[in-house]
Amino acid sequence: DADADADVDISIIYKVSAKCDFFLYKMMRRIVGALVAIGSGKVPLLELESCIKSHDDASSHRNIHDNSEDGTNNRMMIDIPKGLLQTAPANGLTLDHVEYDTPI
């Protein structure tokens, strides 16, 4: 029945999993934000591909910019398109589990 289908609230839940040696502050929220921006069509996938390629090119050429006076804080500076600088809200995020190599 078409009228019954109109009253149904359909929610889609996506699960994003990551396994890393370490996580940076808001790292997963920013990854999810970029994925949502691309998936919703707000940012073309080509922008992400270009960003990754520029990072790979900079890494392979050791294109490191010194952004401190004494030279102790060397970082690779990559231009990230504004559309990819989205941070997903924290609500709905869940830490499933943590593994350690050595017993605590």
Side-chain angles (χ1 to χ4, degrees), residues 18-82:
K19 183 176 181 179
C20 297
D21 293 339
F22 60 90
F23 289 89
L24 300 174
Y25 181 66
K26 294 186 181 180
M27 183 172 114
M28 290 308 300
R29 289 176 56 195
R30 289 181 176 147
I31 290 171
V32 170
L35 292 173
V36 169
I38 292 166
S40 65
K42 293 178 181 175
V43 177
L45 181 59
L46 284 175
E47 283 197 35
L48 178 61
E49 291 172 354
S50 173
C51 185
I52 291 170
K53 183 180 180 332
S54 67
H55 178 272
D56 290 347
D57 290 346
S59 294
S60 66
H61 294 106
R62 303 206 187 283
N63 184 12
I64 297 175
H65 300 279
D66 180 8
N67 60 355
S68 68
E69 290 181 22
D70 63 1
T72 59
N73 191 12
N74 293 329
R75 294 184 188 186
M76 242 183 296
M77 302 303 286
I78 303 296
D79 290 326
I80 299 173
K82 186 176 181 179

